Amino acid sequence: MDMATTFPFTHRLSLTPLAAFWRSKAADKADPLHQFARQIARDLDRAPVLEGPLDEVSVLDPHWPLLERMMMAITPPSSKEIAAVAVSQPFSMRPFYTTPAFDRLGMNHTSEDEVAAALSMSTEALMSLKALQAYFWVLIECYGLDLDFDQQFPLVLPITDEETGLPRYYKIRINPSFCALRHEGDLPPLSPADLNRLLEEPTNLDVWKTLLPPDQFVFEGIVIYEGIDITEQHLLSKLKDDLLKKGSMTTPGQVSHLQERLRSLLRKPDLELGFMALTFGDLEMVSGATPIGRSLLLADGQMPACPLRHQSTYAKALKESRTQLFHDLQTYETQSGFETLLMEQGFRNLLLAPLFDGEQVIGFLELASPNRGDINAFNARLLDDVASVFATAMSRTLEDREDRVQAIIKEEYTALHPVVEWRFREAALARLERMERGHRGEAESIVFEGVHPLYGLADIRGSSTRRNAAIQADLVEQVGLALLVIVEASTHRHLPILDALGYRLGQYISDIGTGLSSGDDQSALAVLRQELEPLFDHLATFDPSVEARIRAYKDALDPELGVVYRQRKAFEDSVMLINDTIGQFIDQQEATAQGMFPHYYERYKTDGVDYNIYIGQSLLQRGDFDPIYLRNLRLWQLMMTCGVAWEMETLKPSLPMELDVAHLILVQDIPLSIRFRMDEKQFDVDGAYNIRYEIVKKRIDKARIKGTGERLTQPGYLAIVYSQPEEAREYLQYLDYLSAASYTEGEIEHLVLEDLQGVQGLRALRVAIASTSPDDYSSIGADRTMHIVQTLTNA
């Protein structure tokens, strides 16, 4: 809204319209006020100064008795104590006549600044609002538009109730019945487009002034201001607005804000408000609850011990599922621990309103007072209009809290796989119930029995050797650059100490070149940092060529690590790229497999990627497991592993250091049990026999073929480790299918493995992964299966 500093219209005080009202009554003999109006008319004849523009309000002083009688057209004497009415010059909020009820509103101000402050707005905003009101009046009176200024731009006056000290709210309604509007000359023409523009931009006073020049209009008469108590409507509206905001009751401060609203609404300054959510329980026992923002009963955040809780006021409200009002807690039929605790806090009067989500009670609104009868059947009905909004706010608060709880669980404890999360939540609820019944709240063991395991590994071949070689190469380069500094310095100034230092560096290069032993790197770096590098500033003064050698040494160092970090960086960057590529591919394919049948999945990154999958009935909250889903998952694992190999072939050209990846799958047909280890926050196999499976997983990547010493896992090959002939027969069927589908090629090798420490009798199948991948290998599903079937049929 453009701010006006002065009111732009001519406006004059005049009693002429009011006098005309009474003269019309005097002329109508049938009017019940005829005789009374005739006397006013005669008095007006003796006071002609009252009919016409009045330059000063003081002109009215000698005629105040007559004015009092004329004001009976506005408010009768019997209403003066209850009707808040004021009369003023048009568009002036400094009245010259007021009723006692209006005086109590505190609006008898002497300046526009005081009026604006009372309405909580700036003086400029008040002036603009008055100008806009005048323009609306022009459209109504001169152009016949049906507009309601009070509805679009309500003036709400907050006051402090003298009796309670609480805020109340009055709407100031403006009545121009005794004000005349006239215009000078012809009315400015307004086209439909002009009217639309004015109504679309009602607060743009520049547009109004252009289309309706204010100097062409004059307002003359008086304006009536009426204060209407809208405390209930205003507070109910504000209360709803507050409750619809996110987090409206999550802190004690927010609850205190809502409490002040309710105190003003019910006109009771001693009311105390609280909220509690029911976390679990039944209609007989309020067996679990938590404060929301602040609770009266749960003052310390805990449910008080109470053997008679099932007979308490809260149980009554919960059982009957409707608002309960207790006028005096001291007279309640059962004095449970709940009522005793409330009375110890000084409360006597209590209202409990169950809050619903659908048909389920999710919590209570608690409203209490130390004064008996403060909350009664009459004022409590005001809460009916907002009970559903309180319930919505409670429901949303609980949803937000649950989201935060889940976030804390995932951040502080473990990111639970969705397939098993139901079981952890079930255990948590059972634990809370045990604690509420007074039992120990120890964590329940989470065990899934009779699940079938699948294990896979994509291992970076020779990663330990390649890492050591990279460290060795970087260290040789750094020591070599340091030796060049010594040699160059010695050519310009012969110092035996430099020769000795050079000899030691040469020995390091010789020793590191034959193999890196434990501590060699730290020993060499200690000599460089503690004995050589501190000499650089002095050695640089020997000759510019020495300074150049020093600069070459420093330029070769990584700025953050302070060492040569070329080969190691190439190796580590390559490992990271391989792990990320394989991990993302497996995750994507695994999401597809979850759609086939739910199962537990976890993945780890080291020098390569390995993963565990478990499938079985005990993992399901609902539904049935069938062995076909296990066979399906095993075939999917083989196809997915081939996909990993082809992804790696695509990645190889972009690796900083060329590395190969070998692929292995471990088969176990006998189901096992897995237990969640609280200390490690992960699942592990459970039981003595099942430990063998875990041992095999940890050692199988190093397995060698019996009689040859050759490593089982080889780049470009898929190795399947098993121990039972039935397992081999099943996987041979899958491999036959994959060969026909162009996933594998060549003959299948049947291999016997050397015994591992603690593990004997392992065998393996090994087959080459096809050198050329199918075009759609990354989409393992129904379309791929149909394509394979069609290919086999055509063949």
Side-chain angles (χ1 to χ4, degrees):
M1 178 183 294
D2 293 334
M3 299 302 177
T5 55
T6 58
F7 186 70
F9 290 90
T10 300
H11 55 116
R12 302 190 184 101
L13 173 63
S14 173
L15 297 182
T16 302
L18 181 59
F21 168 81
W22 286 113
R23 288 190 182 280
S24 67
K25 295 288 184 182
D28 185 359
K29 295 182 180 180
D31 193 293
L33 296 176
H34 170 67
Q35 291 299 330
F36 184 74
R38 283 187 64 191
Q39 183 59 48
I40 290 177
R42 285 194 293 268
D43 291 342
L44 286 171
D45 291 340
R46 290 191 290 269
V49 68
L50 296 182
E51 295 187 81
L54 301 174
D55 295 329
E56 296 289 341
V57 173
S58 59
V59 175
L60 300 174
D61 292 345
H63 309 284
W64 201 256
L66 172 58
L67 183 65
E68 285 276 11
R69 285 181 285 134
M70 292 177 68
M71 289 299 169
M72 291 177 62
I74 297 172
T75 180
S78 61
S79 300
K80 289 183 178 182
E81 291 296 330
I82 57 175
V85 175
V87 180
S88 77
Q89 176 184 345
F91 304 107
S92 170
M93 298 188 73
R94 288 171 289 173
F96 63 85
Y97 176 86
T98 59
T99 64
F102 190 88
D103 292 339
R104 289 194 291 272
L105 298 185
M107 280 289 286
N108 292 328
H109 301 298
T110 59
S111 70
E112 298 291 344
D113 291 341
E114 291 181 1
V115 174
L119 293 171
S120 301
M121 62 174 63
S122 67
T123 304
E124 291 78 6
L126 176 62
M127 298 301 289
S128 294
L129 194 64
K130 288 165 59 177
L132 184 60
Q133 181 188 17
Y135 278 120
F136 265 60
W137 200 349
V138 169
L139 290 183
I140 295 169
E141 294 293 323
C142 300
Y143 293 89
L145 270 66
D146 184 14
L147 301 174
D148 188 337
F149 181 85
D150 288 343
Q151 184 175 4
Q152 294 194 44
F153 302 96
L155 286 175
V156 178
L157 173 67
I159 70 163
T160 300
D161 189 297
E162 295 179 355
E163 180 181 348
T164 66
L166 297 171
R168 300 194 65 78
Y169 300 88
Y170 283 80
K171 179 180 179 180
I172 305 301
R173 187 170 65 185
I174 303 169
N175 180 356
S177 299
F178 299 108
C179 183
L181 168 63
R182 57 185 176 83
H183 55 86
E184 306 289 347
D186 296 331
L187 277 176
L190 290 180
S191 67
D194 293 334
L195 288 173
N196 286 336
R197 186 181 179 190
L198 291 174
L199 297 178
E200 287 174 0
E201 300 182 71
T203 60
N204 189 342
L205 292 183
D206 291 334
V207 176
W208 288 90
K209 290 178 181 179
T210 301
L211 297 176
L212 295 171
D215 57 4
Q216 297 186 21
F217 300 93
V218 177
F219 295 90
E220 194 170 272
I222 58 175
V223 170
I224 305 162
Y225 295 97
E226 183 179 3
I228 303 171
D229 190 343
I230 61 165
T231 301
E232 288 183 10
Q233 305 95 302
H234 181 81
L235 286 173
L236 286 172
S237 176
K238 291 297 183 182
L239 195 55
K240 291 178 181 179
D241 290 343
D242 292 339
L243 291 169
L244 291 175
K245 295 176 183 176
K246 186 175 181 179
S248 58
M249 56 172 64
T250 56
T251 67
Q254 291 165 331
V255 175
S256 294
H257 177 72
L258 298 174
Q259 175 179 283
E260 289 304 310
R261 297 283 197 204
L262 289 179
R263 285 178 171 180
S264 296
L265 178 65
L266 304 184
R267 303 189 67 179
K268 301 297 179 183
D270 298 325
L271 295 181
E272 294 286 337
L273 176 65
F275 297 98
M276 59 185 289
L278 298 179
T279 52
F280 50 87
D282 55 46
L283 294 181
E284 295 296 331
M285 300 285 289
V286 186
S287 54
T290 181
I292 300 296
R294 181 180 68 213
S295 169
L296 306 183
L297 180 64
L298 312 178
D300 60 354
Q302 301 294 326
M303 175 69 73
C306 179
L308 297 177
R309 67 177 62 188
H310 61 289
Q311 299 179 23
S312 68
T313 51
Y314 285 79
K316 179 179 176 65
L318 182 60
K319 185 175 182 179
E320 298 186 12
S321 294
R322 62 184 179 87
T323 298
Q324 298 289 330
L325 179 58
F326 306 95
H327 293 279
D328 188 349
L329 289 175
Q330 287 187 349
T331 63
Y332 183 61
E333 56 191 17
T334 300
Q335 291 295 305
S336 76
F338 289 2
E339 288 72 46
T340 300
L341 179 63
L342 292 174
M343 287 189 288
E344 286 176 354
Q345 297 179 63
F347 298 127
R348 297 286 295 275
N349 190 199
L350 175 67
L351 178 143
L352 294 175
L355 302 177
F356 294 84
D357 184 358
E359 297 183 356
Q360 180 182 2
V361 178
I362 58 174
F364 284 114
L365 178 153
E366 309 163 294
L367 195 62
S369 171
N371 311 312
R372 289 174 294 179
D374 262 7
I375 315 167
N376 53 60
F378 296 101
N379 59 17
R381 296 181 64 179
L382 294 173
L383 299 179
D384 292 343
D385 290 339
V386 289
S388 62
V389 190
F390 274 112
T392 299
M394 171 76 78
S395 178
R396 186 170 56 194
T397 299
L398 293 179
E399 290 174 1
D400 292 342
R401 173 176 286 189
E402 176 64 18
D403 290 342
R404 293 196 297 271
V405 167
Q406 290 297 325
I408 292 172
I409 289 175
K410 290 176 172 58
E411 179 179 350
E412 299 293 338
Y413 301 98
T414 182
L416 299 176
H417 193 278
V419 169
V420 298
E421 188 171 0
W422 66 271
R423 182 64 184 88
F424 285 83
R425 189 169 190 83
E426 190 178 79
L429 290 174
R431 181 183 182 186
L432 288 173
E433 289 175 354
R434 290 195 301 272
M435 292 173 64
E436 286 299 325
R437 291 196 297 268
H439 302 307
R440 295 181 64 182
E442 293 180 352
E444 180 181 340
S445 295
I446 305 294
V447 180
F448 295 99
E449 298 179 347
V451 297
H452 299 272
L454 292 87
Y455 174 74
L457 170 65
D459 182 48
I460 297 176
R461 174 48 56 90
S463 58
S464 297
T465 302
R466 298 294 296 273
R467 177 181 286 105
N468 285 338
I471 295 173
Q472 181 181 2
D474 285 342
L475 192 55
V476 167
E477 180 182 353
Q478 185 170 349
V479 176
L481 290 170
L483 184 57
L484 290 176
V485 172
I486 296 295
V487 171
E488 188 65 29
S490 296
T491 61
H492 294 280
R493 187 174 302 179
H494 178 67
L495 296 173
I497 191 64
L498 293 181
D499 294 340
L501 185 55
Y503 171 77
R504 290 171 63 192
L505 294 180
Q507 284 295 107
Y508 277 124
I509 293 176
S510 177
D511 293 343
I512 295 170
T514 59
L516 191 65
S517 301
S518 176
D520 284 351
D521 55 340
Q522 295 302 318
S523 178
L525 291 175
V527 171
L528 295 176
R529 290 171 176 167
Q530 296 172 16
E531 299 185 36
L532 178 60
E533 292 178 2
L535 300 175
F536 279 170
D537 289 343
H538 182 67
L539 296 179
T541 63
F542 287 9
D543 191 82
S545 61
V546 179
E547 184 180 10
R549 289 296 187 186
I550 293 172
R551 188 163 52 250
Y553 174 90
K554 291 181 177 180
D555 289 346
L557 303 184
D558 181 86
E560 294 183 4
L561 302 178
V563 297
V564 172
Y565 183 60
R566 292 174 181 166
Q567 293 298 316
R568 276 178 291 174
K569 187 175 188 306
F571 172 80
E572 291 172 3
D573 286 351
S574 297
V575 170
M576 182 185 67
L577 283 170
I578 290 171
N579 285 349
D580 288 348
T581 301
I582 294 176
Q584 290 175 13
F585 181 80
I586 295 177
D587 289 348
Q588 291 169 359
Q589 299 304 315
E590 208 281 329
T592 302
Q594 285 287 350
M596 300 176 190
F597 194 81
H599 53 274
Y600 181 80
Y601 160 75
E602 57 187 7
R603 173 175 59 79
Y604 306 96
K605 292 181 182 179
T606 52
D607 285 350
V609 175
D610 64 313
Y611 59 90
N612 294 308
I613 293 176
Y614 301 102
I615 185 171
Q617 183 66 54
S618 64
L619 291 167
L620 303 179
Q621 185 176 16
R622 58 182 63 88
D624 296 320
F625 170 74
D626 189 274
I628 189 174
Y629 297 114
L630 172 61
R631 297 195 295 272
N632 177 76
L633 198 58
R634 285 172 170 171
L635 176 58
W636 165 85
Q637 184 186 23
L638 293 170
M639 300 172 74
M640 184 270 293
T641 302
C642 293
V644 170
W646 293 321
E647 288 289 312
M648 279 307 307
E649 290 302 312
T650 302
L651 179 66
K652 264 187 179 182
S654 60
L655 292 176
M657 178 182 289
E658 184 175 345
L659 297 173
D660 290 315
V661 176
H663 308 279
L664 178 144
I665 288 174
L666 174 62
V667 180
Q668 174 165 310
D669 201 38
I670 300 174
L672 48 75
S673 297
I674 56 174
R675 178 185 297 271
F676 187 76
R677 306 292 182 188
M678 292 298 296
D679 52 346
E680 299 177 1
K681 305 303 179 187
Q682 66 180 30
F683 279 101
D684 202 354
V685 297
D686 191 46
Y689 175 78
N690 296 330
I691 295 298
R692 178 182 183 275
Y693 175 77
E694 200 67 21
I695 293 174
V696 173
K697 279 169 44 181
K698 294 182 182 302
R699 299 173 180 172
I700 195 63
D701 63 312
K702 301 294 191 297
R704 296 184 180 275
I705 300 171
K706 195 168 187 177
T708 67
E710 177 190 349
R711 284 280 294 271
L712 168 64
T713 56
Q714 297 292 335
Y717 283 81
L718 170 60
I720 304 168
V721 177
Y722 67 95
S723 57
Q724 302 297 323
E726 295 81 4
E727 296 166 345
R729 283 194 289 271
E730 179 181 345
Y731 273 81
L732 284 171
Q733 295 177 13
Y734 301 149
L735 293 177
D736 182 50
Y737 169 75
L738 293 182
S739 176
S742 302
Y743 276 73
T744 62
E745 59 189 13
E747 297 296 324
I748 300 173
E749 299 178 83
H750 295 255
L751 306 170
V752 179
L753 303 183
E754 293 180 355
D755 292 343
L756 301 174
Q757 182 180 357
V759 181
Q760 297 83 35
L762 294 180
R763 295 176 177 270
L765 302 174
R766 188 170 68 180
V767 65
I769 298 171
S771 57
T772 303
S773 65
D775 292 337
D776 57 350
Y777 71 87
S778 63
S779 178
I780 301 172
D783 293 341
R784 177 65 186 151
T785 301
M786 289 302 300
H787 174 72
I788 294 171
V789 172
Q790 291 170 3
T791 302
L792 295 176
T793 302
N794 294 336

